mmCIF file with all atom_site columns, all heavy atoms in Angstrom:
data_model
loop_
_atom_site.group_PDB
_atom_site.id
_atom_site.type_symbol
_atom_site.label_atom_id
_atom_site.label_alt_id
_atom_site.label_comp_id
_atom_site.label_asym_id
_atom_site.label_entity_id
_atom_site.label_seq_id
_atom_site.pdbx_PDB_ins_code
_atom_site.Cartn_x
_atom_site.Cartn_y
_atom_site.Cartn_z
_atom_site.occupancy
_atom_site.B_iso_or_equiv
_atom_site.pdbx_formal_charge
_atom_site.auth_seq_id
_atom_site.auth_comp_id
_atom_site.auth_asym_id
_atom_site.auth_atom_id
_atom_site.pdbx_PDB_model_num
ATOM 1  N N   . LEU A 1 59 ? -17.794 13.787 5.437  1.00 0.00 ? 756 LEU A N   1
ATOM 2  C CA  . LEU A 1 59 ? -17.191 13.795 6.799  1.00 0.00 ? 756 LEU A CA  1
ATOM 3  C C   . LEU A 1 59 ? -16.476 12.428 7.120  1.00 0.00 ? 756 LEU A C   1
ATOM 4  O O   . LEU A 1 59 ? -15.374 12.475 7.665  1.00 0.00 ? 756 LEU A O   1
ATOM 5  C CB  . LEU A 1 59 ? -18.085 14.269 7.797  1.00 0.00 ? 756 LEU A CB  1
ATOM 6  C CG  . LEU A 1 59 ? -18.423 15.808 7.820  1.00 0.00 ? 756 LEU A CG  1
ATOM 7  C CD1 . LEU A 1 59 ? -19.373 16.218 8.928  1.00 0.00 ? 756 LEU A CD1 1
ATOM 8  C CD2 . LEU A 1 59 ? -17.229 16.537 7.922  1.00 0.00 ? 756 LEU A CD2 1
ATOM 9  N N   . PRO A 1 60 ? -17.258 11.296 6.939  1.00 0.00 ? 757 PRO A N   1
ATOM 10 C CA  . PRO A 1 60 ? -16.546 9.947  7.242  1.00 0.00 ? 757 PRO A CA  1
ATOM 11 C C   . PRO A 1 60 ? -15.461 9.790  6.369  1.00 0.00 ? 757 PRO A C   1
ATOM 12 O O   . PRO A 1 60 ? -14.362 9.285  6.798  1.00 0.00 ? 757 PRO A O   1
ATOM 13 C CB  . PRO A 1 60 ? -17.612 8.952  7.003  1.00 0.00 ? 757 PRO A CB  1
ATOM 14 C CG  . PRO A 1 60 ? -18.948 9.676  7.258  1.00 0.00 ? 757 PRO A CG  1
ATOM 15 C CD  . PRO A 1 60 ? -18.642 11.128 6.803  1.00 0.00 ? 757 PRO A CD  1
ATOM 16 N N   . GLY A 1 61 ? -15.378 10.277 5.137  1.00 0.00 ? 758 GLY A N   1
ATOM 17 C CA  . GLY A 1 61 ? -14.264 10.147 4.292  1.00 0.00 ? 758 GLY A CA  1
ATOM 18 C C   . GLY A 1 61 ? -13.134 10.931 4.578  1.00 0.00 ? 758 GLY A C   1
ATOM 19 O O   . GLY A 1 61 ? -11.989 10.538 4.656  1.00 0.00 ? 758 GLY A O   1
ATOM 20 N N   . ALA A 1 62 ? -13.411 12.217 5.018  1.00 0.00 ? 759 ALA A N   1
ATOM 21 C CA  . ALA A 1 62 ? -12.370 13.060 5.581  1.00 0.00 ? 759 ALA A CA  1
ATOM 22 C C   . ALA A 1 62 ? -11.707 12.421 6.895  1.00 0.00 ? 759 ALA A C   1
ATOM 23 O O   . ALA A 1 62 ? -10.464 12.564 7.035  1.00 0.00 ? 759 ALA A O   1
ATOM 24 C CB  . ALA A 1 62 ? -12.905 14.462 5.709  1.00 0.00 ? 759 ALA A CB  1
ATOM 25 N N   . PHE A 1 63 ? -12.656 12.026 7.765  1.00 0.00 ? 760 PHE A N   1
ATOM 26 C CA  . PHE A 1 63 ? -12.031 11.439 9.013  1.00 0.00 ? 760 PHE A CA  1
ATOM 27 C C   . PHE A 1 63 ? -11.273 10.166 8.714  1.00 0.00 ? 760 PHE A C   1
ATOM 28 O O   . PHE A 1 63 ? -10.234 9.861  9.349  1.00 0.00 ? 760 PHE A O   1
ATOM 29 C CB  . PHE A 1 63 ? -13.118 11.180 9.949  1.00 0.00 ? 760 PHE A CB  1
ATOM 30 C CG  . PHE A 1 63 ? -13.702 12.359 10.649 1.00 0.00 ? 760 PHE A CG  1
ATOM 31 C CD1 . PHE A 1 63 ? -15.079 12.525 10.779 1.00 0.00 ? 760 PHE A CD1 1
ATOM 32 C CD2 . PHE A 1 63 ? -12.855 13.346 11.211 1.00 0.00 ? 760 PHE A CD2 1
ATOM 33 C CE1 . PHE A 1 63 ? -15.512 13.625 11.389 1.00 0.00 ? 760 PHE A CE1 1
ATOM 34 C CE2 . PHE A 1 63 ? -13.300 14.421 11.781 1.00 0.00 ? 760 PHE A CE2 1
ATOM 35 C CZ  . PHE A 1 63 ? -14.717 14.609 11.943 1.00 0.00 ? 760 PHE A CZ  1
ATOM 36 N N   . THR A 1 64 ? -11.658 9.418  7.642  1.00 0.00 ? 761 THR A N   1
ATOM 37 C CA  . THR A 1 64 ? -10.863 8.223  7.379  1.00 0.00 ? 761 THR A CA  1
ATOM 38 C C   . THR A 1 64 ? -9.499  8.551  6.843  1.00 0.00 ? 761 THR A C   1
ATOM 39 O O   . THR A 1 64 ? -8.511  8.049  7.165  1.00 0.00 ? 761 THR A O   1
ATOM 40 C CB  . THR A 1 64 ? -11.590 7.380  6.391  1.00 0.00 ? 761 THR A CB  1
ATOM 41 O OG1 . THR A 1 64 ? -12.825 6.898  6.805  1.00 0.00 ? 761 THR A OG1 1
ATOM 42 C CG2 . THR A 1 64 ? -10.947 6.184  5.979  1.00 0.00 ? 761 THR A CG2 1
#
Side-chain angles (χ1 to χ4, degrees):
L756 286 179
F760 284 136
T761 301

